[in-house]
Amino acid sequence: MKLLVIGSGGREHAIVRALKKSPKASEIHVLPGNGGIALDAICAGVRATDIGGVVDYAREHGIDFAVVTPDDPLCLGMVDALADAGIPAFGPDRRAAAIEGSKVFAKGLMKKYGIPTAAYEVFDEAGAALEYVRAKGAPVVVKADGLALGKGVVVARTVAEAEEAIRNAMVNRAFGESGARVVIEEYLEGPEVSVLSFTDGSTIVPMVPAMDHKRALDGDQGPNTGGMGAVAPNPYYTGEVAAECMEKIFMPTMRAMNAEGRPFRGCLYFGLMLTKDGPKVIEYNCRFGDPETQVVLPLLRTDLLDIMEAVAAGRLSEVRVEWLDKSACCVVLASGDYPGHYEKGLPISGLVDGQLPGGEAEVFHAGTKLLDDGTLVTDGGRVLGVTALGNSLHEAVHRAYDAAGRISFDNMHRREDIGARALAAPGQGRQACQ
Ligand code: AMP
Ligand code: GLY
């Protein structure tokens, strides 16, 4: 089968490497991909948001099955356009992608169907929003309604911070039309868990639970980023919590989307907070998480293409999804000063054909470029993700850092405490390594 993957990050590289293991995958194309992905697949310079360009490319190259993962093309209707062209694809259609594309829609869905989430109010006028936070006090969370490259959420510790977030989104329009409306939400506390799931609208299969590390610096300090590393499984997500989530969150969300006439087929991501009052939804994503995918897919035993085809065809119940009984840790190597301004084009050392020569870990490329002479250089904020497996979380973390230590480029930045919070969880038998 000829496959097409849309996107250019570490997540897409992890998907490509998982699909490559399928005996059915004869050729994998990626639009636009990156320097490292180009060492594993055929990349071409069509933007992920260029719906017409992607459909034309898929037709010209006889693509049998497509995988659409970034939020923008999904919300723009890439899967609908591919379907119109007769090309089956993994990913939700435009109407189902609204579960991520509009926070107002997602919050309304949870309220209507009694799915546990933070209490909230919606505002389409800055004056009323400002008045509300002054009356309500802090901490409080301000979220732009639409997609904002992960920057639309501000956890405000003070009323002044909340006011600034409202002005930034609604008055200065820092995220364009995405900030025309904001959701102001109750502040929740507890361990966070990312549960990615496969669903075809009738069956929902949660994947191994993961933990992201969103802040730039150790100890969860510094600005929010796209994610500086991840571990799986997440030890805070016990069997008991999993059963409660299935009953109160996962099944009700799948049914709610069906009842709204927006059946969801693809990867539905639940960002959960395990509060003292039980698990609550912090956010839905209509796609695989990044960098969670880089720890979840290496633990998948079943053929990913079999699962994706079954999801797209509405026969997920026929597939048995199995996992390795191991742990995984991904350490992200970022450009210095990311998520602020950073330099590009710096040569990366330690890799041969984009991977570590010893094969002790997998390297997923996020922001890399391959020069004509074969040199691999940095080309983004997050440059690489290094994923290692282990028989315990402790072993996986140790191996990932060991492997990451063999890769370098000028001004490289990484967190030194990926996995520390997970290792400090009850039952892990270890103190945090900070
Ligand atoms: P999001 O972009 O929705 O994933 O939000 C980014 C991060 O903000 C989340 O991972 C949480 O750490 C934090 N966050 C979002 N909503 C809340 C909330 N209601 N209470 C506390 N923290 C939150
Ligand atoms: N890791 C969080 C996300 O993909 O949105």
Side-chain angles (χ1 to χ4, degrees), residues 141 143 153 155 185-188 192 214 273 282-283:
V141 183
K143 299 185 172 184
V153 174
V155 179
E185 190 170 280
E186 167 200 15
Y187 173 76
L188 299 177
E192 281 186 54
K214 287 202 168 89
M273 187 84 91
I282 289 277
E283 64 163 346

Side-chain angles (χ1 to χ4, degrees), residues 33-385:
N34 63 39
I37 295 177
L39 295 164
D40 277 315
I42 302 158
C43 294
V46 179
R47 278 180 300 114
T49 47
D50 178 359
I51 307 275
V54 167
V55 172
D56 288 347
Y57 183 97
R59 274 211 195 97
E60 277 162 27
H61 292 81
I63 297 298
D64 299 301
F65 189 75
V67 178
V68 187
T69 35
D71 48 9
D72 289 344
L74 288 167
C75 291
L76 287 169
M78 176 80 79
V79 170
D80 314 54
L82 286 164
D84 289 345
I87 300 163
F90 177 88
D93 63 13
R94 187 182 58 78
R95 282 172 50 74
I99 200 164
E100 172 169 5
S102 168
K103 296 216 188 280
V104 173
F105 169 75
K107 295 297 286 189
L109 188 83
M110 289 186 270
K111 187 184 256 182
K112 184 169 171 188
Y113 294 92
I115 298 163
T117 187
Y120 74 103
E121 295 286 340
V122 178
F123 296 91
D124 49 22
E125 203 259 302
L130 290 167
E131 221 169 274
Y132 178 80
V133 295
R134 283 174 197 140
K136 190 96 182 152
V140 71
V141 183
V142 180
K143 299 185 172 184
D145 175 37
L147 298 177
L149 295 170
K151 294 180 185 141
V153 174
V154 173
V155 179
R157 305 275 158 193
T158 62
V159 170
E161 266 176 47
E163 288 177 344
E164 191 190 321
I166 292 166
R167 286 199 199 94
N168 202 27
M170 303 188 86
V171 182
N172 304 338
R173 290 293 163 94
F175 320 113
E177 277 310 295
S178 287
R181 284 197 294 184
V182 299
V183 170
I184 300 183
E185 190 170 280
E186 167 200 15
Y187 173 76
L188 299 177
E189 274 176 294
E192 281 186 54
V193 185
S194 308
V195 181
L196 287 61
S197 68
F198 293 111
T199 176
D200 63 358
S202 326
T203 304
I204 186 158
V205 180
M207 303 185 212
V208 174
M211 185 190 284
D212 189 4
H213 296 68
K214 287 202 168 89
R215 301 294 197 101
L217 307 175
D218 287 7
D220 293 326
Q221 302 295 310
N224 257 323
T225 70
M228 294 298 294
V231 293
N234 182 328
Y236 291 95
Y237 190 81
T238 60
E240 202 179 322
V241 176
E244 189 176 357
C245 288
M246 184 53 103
E247 183 201 330
K248 296 189 178 151
I249 297 176
F250 305 160
M251 293 295 286
T253 301
M254 188 183 76
R255 291 195 193 111
M257 290 298 278
N258 290 340
E260 292 296 307
R262 298 173 187 252
F264 191 102
R265 291 194 193 91
C267 172
L268 181 53
Y269 168 125
F270 299 88
L272 306 172
M273 187 84 91
L274 306 182
T275 75
K276 61 175 174 25
D277 303 320
K280 294 191 179 180
V281 177
I282 289 277
E283 64 163 346
Y284 290 119
N285 288 328
C286 65
R287 52 173 175 86
F288 284 92
D290 190 335
E292 289 93 332
T293 305
Q294 291 90 308
V295 287
V296 170
L297 290 186
L299 295 173
L300 181 64
R301 193 196 284 273
T302 311
D303 184 319
L304 178 62
L305 182 53
D306 281 346
I307 303 173
M308 288 182 156
E309 281 192 283
V311 165
R315 46 173 183 77
L316 179 59
S317 64
E318 293 170 18
V319 180
R320 199 178 146 85
V321 180
E322 292 184 310
W323 301 93
L324 299 175
D325 187 17
K326 286 182 181 284
S327 296
C329 173
C330 174
V331 176
V332 168
L333 306 180
S335 298
D337 302 325
Y338 167 75
H341 182 75
Y342 51 82
E343 217 180 319
K344 290 185 181 177
L346 303 168
I348 300 168
S349 64
L351 301 177
V352 177
D353 292 334
Q355 295 295 316
L356 283 161
E360 60 277 46
E362 238 180 328
V363 181
F364 298 121
H365 291 239
T368 66
K369 194 165 143 182
L370 202 53
L371 302 184
D372 289 341
D373 66 2
T375 316
L376 206 52
V377 297
T378 66
D379 194 41
R382 290 186 296 170
V383 177
L384 301 165

Side-chain angles (χ1 to χ4, degrees), residues 384-398:
L384 301 165
V386 181
T387 295
L389 305 190
N391 289 320
S392 65
L393 199 51
H394 181 257
E395 192 174 66
V397 170
H398 184 77

